[in-house]
Amino acid sequence: MAPIADTLPDPYQGEIKGIAKATGIPLGEVVLYNIFYEIFTFCTSIVAEDKSGKLYHARNLDFGLFLGWDTKTNQWELTERLRPLIINVDYQMKNQTIAKAVHFTGYTGVITGVKPGVITLTMNERFNINGGYLGLLQWILGDHTGHWVGFAIRDVLLDAQSYDAAKDYIVKSKLLAPAYFILGGSKSGQGAIITRDRESCAEVRSLNPKNGTWFLLETNYDPWTSPPFFDDRRTPGTKCMNKLGYDNAGLPGLFNVLSTKPNLNMLTTYTTLMQVDSGHMETYIRHCEQPCWPW
């Protein structure tokens, strides 16, 4: 994996090489650490609007399925190892915070973040036969026209000056892996699930509170299909959101929804709550007490 570092775009190439040099971790391992999230994550993301038009965004990040089981603690081994690495990062320019994101220490891309006053953004893995493994293979073979998803989200978070500009970039960019982008803005109706193939956009599903769509909830399956019976987090999550109700939309309610099993499960590393107007972002390291769903 080390040779891939030389092909990565700036500033990520320099950052990854710097992490390897500073920590003594082999460069190939740092590269793998920075691209693995593109092809193997489970998540639940929600963007919601209250009756005043205020927008809220929350997510659970689940990671580590089938990557080792700790028989002493009865936990997914990699999930346990990742929890202590969770940090909130402020991106600053001229001593002012221009964006905030949740990172696993050493991971240079972004999968959860807020640009105060502009957007909130999360990424959920999309399982597709034309998946991230093919994008990675194309990159190794010399086709560098696609964008690494985590790097693309960080670029959007730092550079986009409006919800529409962020949405346009996500819809049109060529990506290395299919994904769901859950995007929130700062005005009523500015919320969307953007379902992406690697080279095109499959669907954009938007908030429409006037017609009763005051929230959007995405796990890891296409919104127009039924989730599989063995991993249906959408149905209980939607049921909890409807029980919460439009009148009670807000960060405490979203936290409660994401604390309900199976949306909270043994793979859940963290829950993040964001509010775009204030730029508020808070992150909780999560543990699911037994009995608990394995995913």
Side-chain angles (χ1 to χ4, degrees):
M1 285 292 179
I4 294 178
D6 291 327
T7 68
L8 297 175
D10 289 324
Y12 307 103
Q13 177 183 148
E15 291 176 4
I16 288 171
K17 289 181 177 179
I19 290 168
K21 183 177 180 180
T23 62
I25 299 172
L27 179 59
E29 293 183 19
V30 179
V31 171
L32 179 61
Y33 180 71
N34 272 272
I35 66 176
F36 198 63
Y37 302 96
E38 310 255 337
I39 53 179
F40 205 70
T41 59
F42 290 79
C43 318
T44 301
S45 292
I46 306 170
V47 60
E49 181 175 326
D50 69 12
K51 294 190 74 172
S52 70
K54 195 172 185 178
L55 287 155
Y56 305 91
H57 196 148
R59 74 111 88 248
N60 278 356
L61 193 285
D62 305 340
F63 193 86
L65 183 64
F66 303 137
L67 297 176
W69 180 261
D70 189 328
T71 56
K72 294 181 180 179
T73 62
N74 290 322
Q75 297 284 332
W76 294 109
E77 187 172 344
L78 184 57
T79 307
E80 284 188 296
R81 291 172 179 261
L82 286 173
R83 288 187 179 113
L85 301 179
I86 297 166
I87 55 173
N88 285 351
V89 174
D90 281 17
Y91 287 87
Q92 295 194 340
M93 182 178 295
K94 298 180 180 179
N95 295 320
Q96 291 192 350
T97 297
I98 60 170
K100 301 176 183 179
V102 187
H103 286 256
F104 294 110
T105 304
Y107 177 66
T108 60
V110 169
I111 47 182
T112 306
V114 55
K115 188 178 184 73
V118 184
I119 60 169
T120 53
L121 182 58
T122 57
M123 184 275 284
N124 291 12
E125 172 68 14
R126 184 182 183 214
F127 306 113
N128 192 295
I129 192 170
N130 186 6
Y133 297 100
L134 292 177
L136 175 59
L137 180 60
Q138 287 184 349
W139 187 277
I140 291 172
L141 293 176
D143 182 354
H144 299 162
T145 57
H147 296 274
W148 297 91
V149 175
F151 299 163
I153 294 177
R154 178 171 148 182
D155 291 343
V156 170
L157 202 64
L158 296 181
D159 297 338
Q161 298 303 310
S162 69
Y163 171 84
D164 289 335
K167 183 178 177 181
D168 187 66
Y169 180 92
I170 294 168
V171 166
K172 295 181 180 179
S173 294
K174 182 179 178 181
L175 304 173
L176 292 188
Y180 303 103
F181 294 88
I182 299 81
L183 176 66
S186 59
K187 299 177 182 177
S188 178
Q190 287 189 338
I193 299 171
I194 303 170
T195 302
R196 279 299 314 264
D197 296 319
R198 291 197 302 114
E199 298 188 358
S200 62
C201 182
E203 185 194 61
V204 177
R205 187 164 296 204
S206 300
L207 284 176
N208 191 342
K210 292 181 179 179
N211 289 337
T213 306
W214 60 274
F215 74 89
L216 297 168
L217 185 150
E218 176 57 40
T219 58
N220 299 99
Y221 305 98
D222 293 342
W224 59 90
T225 65
S226 297
F229 72 91
F230 56 84
D231 185 27
D232 185 5
R233 288 164 284 131
R234 182 198 302 164
T235 299
T238 299
K239 183 178 179 180
C240 287
M241 286 299 295
N242 286 327
K243 185 175 181 179
L244 174 67
Y246 191 20
D247 292 343
N248 299 310
L251 296 184
L254 294 184
F255 182 81
N256 287 340
V257 171
L258 292 176
S259 298
T260 304
K261 303 169 186 177
N263 293 102
L264 178 68
N265 57 72
M266 295 180 70
L267 289 172
T268 305
T269 57
Y270 68 77
T271 298
T272 294
L273 309 174
M274 299 178 286
Q275 206 291 308
V276 66
D277 300 312
S278 63
H280 177 79
M281 184 183 77
E282 55 184 298
T283 302
Y284 298 86
I285 298 173
R286 304 307 302 272
H287 298 271
C288 186
E289 298 297 330
Q290 294 292 355
C292 184
W293 288 71
W295 58 78

